[in-house]
Amino acid sequence: MSNQRYPHMLEPLDLGFTTLKNRVIMGSMHTGLEDRFWNMGKMAAYFAERAKGGTGLLITGGYNPNRRGWFYPTAGTFNSYADIPNHRRITSAVHNEGGKIALQILHAGRYSYHPFSHSASAKKAAINPFKPKAMSEKEIRSTIKDFAKSARLAKLANYDGVEVMGSEGYLINQFMAPHVNKRTDKWGGSIENRMRFPVEIVKEIRKAVGEEFIILFRLSMMELVEGGMTANEIIKSALALEKAGVTIMNTGIGWHEARVPTIVTSVPRAAFRDATARVKKELSIPVCASNRINTPEVAEDIIASGDADLVSMARPLLADPHFVNKAAEGRADEINVCIACNQACIDHTFEMKRASCMVNPQACHETELVYIPVTNKKKVAVIGAGPAGLSVSTAAAERGHDVTLYDMASKIGGQFNYAKQIPGKEEFYEMVKYYGRRVEVSGVDLKLNTKVDTDYLEQAGYDEVVVATGINPRMPPIEGIDHKKVLSYIDVLTGAKVGKKVAVIGAGGIGFDVAEFLVHPGAKADSTPRPQSVKDWREEWGVDIDSDNPGHLIEKKPHAPEREVYLLQRKKSVLGAGLNKTSGWVHRAVLKMKDVEMIGGVSYDKIDDEGLHITVKGKQRVLHVDNVVICAGQESRKELYSEDSGKTNFHLIGGAEFAGELDAKRAIKQGAELAASL
């Protein structure tokens, strides 16, 4: 085994009293398993798998130090000795795999979703209906002690350390930034006063746990909100926290209410490394970079360049718990790369569901979705090499089945091949690469450019046939739908010529994607994706990492749109209301920056040489467009499915089973679960 390709990422880190075996930290991420004691066994298996996969240090999801700090009523707290036995299940599982783990302590402050929340000041968050109460001196002192108590309990539960959550707009961050802190006492005003709260917390924790215990502090190194800390204030805070007893300084970026994206797939890889590097120059303790670091190449470059000593990855280790070991063993091309879609992880968290991962349905379900090697080998045919077909075929082959995967196309990927061309979704290209490699390694017999029928499948003697043939775009019954101006979204994304004025019918996920493709300068169909540069991205979103402006915000300078686009829907609701919570607002903001006119409550009258005739609120209007692109739903392709097929068992999954809005998360999960059951 050679570490030569990633020597800096895989180098041990000596902390004096203990050593991390490499420079990769699994960043904290709330999964929902933390909130119920009966899920501790599942959480132990979840972390153990990532320790087994080689991660240097794991950090739990946030545990609240008291009830006022709850995310929501009955959220996970760690403030009682009675909690210790359950937490020892987690630490023992990790230590048995040779790993280390820290408990994150997080007080939500004004982000607490309950009516008895409190904060530095009585200022309501835009994303929360509950207004907090300003904390009294007594409450501040009590909360500091609660943090220290949680840390002491964590040590008794055999955690290797704790992380103090001081970023992303939670309570500690609310004290540190003028955006919330309007106090006039010794806890507000100057940065020396505002940082007093986190400094006192760290001092009390260090007293409670002693010197030989890891304390990480997640510092907000770039606020991205009006009234955020300046760069100089962030550095002052970092120096004071180091002096107070922090072992490792971790990076936090942005607030949950910030109107600049920080974690979605359109954010360039390692877009915020400069913010970490600026702080690292001033500190003598190790500093960790975070946000949109998802490959060993990016991690290695950050550490090798001196921008950070470690890298924090949360979602990438959901996607592939064996990320580190694969990199160390020269199998980086087998890593299941996180595409930052948020669909099953962060979106689930905000929907009060258990988190998982779109590209790895086993995440947080390690005890439930289990691939057991087969004793009864079956001959399996899978029809369709899209997300569902790739998922089921590779997992079934890895279990030991004899699997043949058919597709009429010349390459695998199905709908992923369209998604990866959308500006900001270039990461979907990683899914196609990953499955291509996994097909090779698992031994799936791949037959492209091959059309099969039911007779062939039955005569070939397959025990199981999985129909994953996907969808066809639906063409709505509009007068003139066969006009030469009309294109389907597949036409557009496979190279059809599109004019300078375009109407897009349908404002679901596909409609938004196609609109972004059409307005983005330089977007080309069926080409190798080219992600936006960090420089261009910062310019468009108004981020200046080198300034000392509060929050590092400057005026946005969006690039001129490639086309004039109208995005239309029949529903009267806000366009994009059904998009995912953490990414939908970004898509809406992008189209607004590109001057896309979004119109709801539309009746489509006809399409002719003039353009698209519509009626809105009883008024007729003609959109003089060169093309009309249809994104109005899909229809399942299930003609190969047979319920009565004699000795062959037929299965229907993915879009072939249910078209609706395209859902790769559901398709991959269905495929994985079917493979586990065969």
Side-chain angles (χ1 to χ4, degrees):
M1 180 167 66
S2 171
N3 295 346
Q4 291 308 304
R5 191 168 182 189
Y6 312 109
H8 297 86
M9 184 187 84
L10 297 170
E11 182 184 6
L13 178 64
D14 185 359
L15 298 175
F17 58 90
T18 191
T19 298
L20 303 185
K21 60 185 175 183
N22 55 58
R23 305 302 181 96
V24 177
I25 290 177
M26 181 175 184
S28 174
M29 185 168 183
H30 199 74
T31 65
L33 294 172
E34 301 87 353
D35 300 329
R36 303 292 177 261
F37 70 88
W38 54 82
N39 283 329
M40 284 299 200
K42 295 174 182 176
M43 191 158 68
Y46 161 73
F47 281 118
E49 190 66 21
R50 282 139 188 90
K52 183 179 179 181
T55 305
L57 176 66
L58 307 163
I59 304 176
T60 70
Y63 277 88
N64 309 129
N66 55 42
R67 291 184 178 183
R68 282 190 181 271
W70 274 344
F71 295 111
Y72 40 79
T74 73
T77 55
F78 194 9
N79 59 3
S80 167
Y81 287 92
D83 296 327
I84 290 175
N86 278 324
H87 280 273
R88 282 182 175 168
R89 296 177 68 184
I90 296 168
T91 56
S92 294
V94 170
H95 293 154
N96 287 342
E97 295 293 350
K100 295 184 187 297
I101 186 166
L103 177 108
Q104 189 188 73
I105 310 172
L106 185 158
H107 190 301
R110 71 178 193 152
Y111 283 171
S112 295
Y113 209 80
H114 55 70
F116 52 94
S117 63
H118 61 196
S119 181
S121 301
K123 184 179 179 184
K124 192 177 84 66
I127 59 175
N128 193 339
F130 298 106
K131 184 178 180 179
K133 171 181 172 288
M135 293 171 71
S136 66
E137 171 81 17
K138 182 179 179 181
E139 287 169 333
I140 291 171
R141 291 293 180 189
S142 175
T143 300
I144 291 170
K145 291 184 182 300
D146 288 340
F147 269 89
K149 181 180 179 181
S150 290
R152 184 171 65 253
L153 294 173
K155 186 174 183 181
L156 292 172
N158 298 327
Y159 282 100
D160 300 283
V162 293
E163 178 174 75
V164 180
M165 180 49 149
S167 66
E168 267 79 3
Y170 291 112
L171 178 69
I172 290 174
N173 211 173
Q174 292 160 25
F175 267 87
M176 297 179 79
H179 182 70
V180 174
N181 191 338
K182 308 298 180 185
R183 303 177 73 98
T184 56
D185 60 5
K186 68 179 182 180
W187 304 96
S190 68
I191 184 57
E192 288 75 15
N193 284 351
R194 286 183 275 119
M195 71 185 182
R196 188 188 307 273
F197 184 55
V199 168
E200 291 297 318
I201 286 173
V202 171
K203 285 181 178 178
E204 285 297 311
I205 289 176
R206 184 53 78 195
K207 286 180 189 175
V209 299
E211 292 302 315
E212 296 189 354
F213 192 70
I214 299 170
I215 300 177
L216 301 101
F217 190 94
R218 188 158 171 176
L219 176 66
S220 188
M221 296 192 186
M222 179 176 278
E223 309 268 56
L224 303 178
V225 291
E226 298 290 342
M229 288 189 289
T230 65
N232 286 332
E233 289 177 337
I234 291 167
I235 289 169
K236 278 188 179 180
S237 301
L239 288 166
L241 289 163
E242 177 183 33
K243 186 177 180 181
V246 169
T247 314
I248 297 172
M249 193 68 68
N250 201 356
T251 295
I253 299 293
W255 289 37
H256 287 311
E257 62 204 82
R259 293 296 90 183
V260 176
T262 58
I263 54 174
V264 298
T265 189
S266 60
V267 177
R269 292 177 180 177
F272 306 106
R273 62 189 290 178
D274 293 348
T276 304
R278 183 180 58 226
V279 173
K280 176 177 161 34
K281 289 176 184 176
E282 308 296 330
L283 301 185
S284 58
I285 58 174
V287 178
C288 184
S290 182
N291 286 56
R292 291 291 286 120
I293 301 165
N294 64 345
T295 70
E297 289 78 13
V298 173
E300 176 69 15
D301 184 63
I302 290 171
I303 300 170
S305 68
D307 286 350
D309 301 289
L310 309 98
V311 292
S312 173
M313 294 182 275
R315 293 171 300 168
L317 290 161
L318 276 181
D320 197 327
H322 297 269
F323 181 107
V324 176
N325 282 350
K326 287 180 180 179
E329 294 164 6
R331 298 190 295 126
D333 60 346
E334 295 178 36
I335 291 174
N336 193 359
V337 176
C338 168
I339 60 175
C341 67
N342 296 343
Q343 292 180 27
C345 52
I346 301 175
D347 284 335
H348 275 208
T349 298
F350 281 117
E351 294 164 8
M352 303 286 283
K353 299 176 183 176
R354 191 198 311 184
S356 187
C357 177
M358 185 184 90
V359 302
N360 175 25
Q362 281 187 302
C364 300
H365 295 76
E366 285 77 11
T367 62
E368 296 146 286
L369 180 55
V370 181
Y371 301 134
I372 301 172
V374 299
T375 55
N376 180 25
K377 187 173 184 177
K378 293 182 177 180
K379 188 176 180 182
V380 181
V382 179
I383 321 302
L390 289 166
S391 174
V392 67
S393 61
T394 52
E398 286 161 359
R399 289 190 60 215
H401 290 302
D402 179 5
V403 181
T404 304
L405 175 59
Y406 297 92
D407 201 292
M408 293 188 299
S410 60
K411 57 186 175 182
I412 66 167
Q415 295 291 322
F416 278 144
N417 289 315
Y418 305 128
K420 73 185 185 185
Q421 296 180 76
I422 306 303
K425 286 193 171 182
E426 295 85 1
E427 291 284 15
F428 279 75
Y429 184 62
E430 295 292 345
M431 283 297 298
V432 180
K433 287 200 302 182
Y434 165 71
Y435 271 116
R437 180 63 177 139
R438 192 171 166 193
V439 164
E440 294 175 6
V441 173
S442 65
V444 171
D445 184 9
L446 177 62
K447 295 186 181 297
L448 297 173
N449 301 303
T450 304
K451 185 175 182 179
V452 297
D453 57 27
T454 306
D455 289 341
Y456 169 80
L457 294 169
E458 292 181 351
Q459 291 170 12
Y462 287 107
D463 301 301
E464 312 281 345
V465 172
V466 182
V467 178
T469 42
I471 56 88
N472 284 322
R474 187 178 72 86
M475 302 302 282
I478 301 171
E479 182 182 342
I481 195 68
D482 56 352
H483 194 278
K484 63 183 180 181
K485 288 179 180 284
V486 177
L487 301 168
S488 74
Y489 70 89
I490 290 180
D491 294 330
V492 172
L493 296 176
T494 52
K497 186 177 180 180
V498 184
K500 285 295 185 181
K501 291 187 176 183
V502 185
V504 177
I505 291 179
I510 296 173
F512 269 82
D513 280 352
V514 169
E516 288 190 45
F517 178 85
L518 292 170
V519 297
H520 190 81
K524 293 182 180 179
D526 205 24
S527 62
T528 301
R530 292 184 180 180
Q532 190 175 29
S533 71
V534 173
K535 178 179 178 294
D536 287 347
W537 179 85
R538 288 178 184 169
E539 190 174 79
E540 283 217 312
W541 286 97
V543 175
D544 185 355
I545 210 156
D546 297 318
S547 80
D548 202 40
N549 290 347
H552 294 88
L553 296 175
I554 57 174
E555 184 182 355
K556 295 179 181 179
K557 294 181 180 179
H559 305 153
E562 183 73 11
R563 295 177 178 86
E564 181 181 336
V565 173
Y566 303 90
L567 182 59
L568 316 169
Q569 70 175 21
R570 291 186 186 274
K571 296 177 183 177
K572 295 180 180 179
S573 57
V574 174
L575 275 73
L579 299 177
N580 293 323
K581 191 175 184 71
T582 56
S583 57
W585 72 268
V586 181
H587 294 304
R588 289 190 291 271
V590 168
L591 295 192
K592 185 176 180 181
M593 284 196 290
K594 299 296 186 183
D595 298 322
V596 172
E597 185 175 349
M598 294 180 262
I599 310 172
V602 176
S603 294
Y604 306 109
D605 301 329
K606 65 178 179 179
I607 302 166
D608 60 17
D609 290 345
E610 278 192 274
L612 175 62
H613 298 251
I614 62 174
T615 299
V616 183
K617 295 181 180 179
K619 295 182 179 180
Q620 292 184 328
R621 179 179 175 185
V622 180
L623 304 180
H624 298 282
V625 294
D626 304 308
N627 291 105
V628 178
V629 180
I630 308 298
C631 304
Q634 298 75 231
E635 295 172 341
S636 295
R637 294 173 53 196
K638 56 179 71 177
E639 57 271 15
L640 289 179
Y641 179 67
S642 173
E643 292 186 1
D644 183 16
S645 54
K647 295 181 180 179
T648 304
N649 296 318
F650 276 71
H651 309 270
L652 195 62
I653 63 172
E657 190 248 347
F658 177 75
E661 189 68 26
L662 292 181
D663 190 348
K665 176 182 71 173
R666 175 177 163 273
I668 293 170
K669 184 172 184 285
Q670 271 192 322
E673 290 174 341
L674 176 58
S677 70
L678 290 177

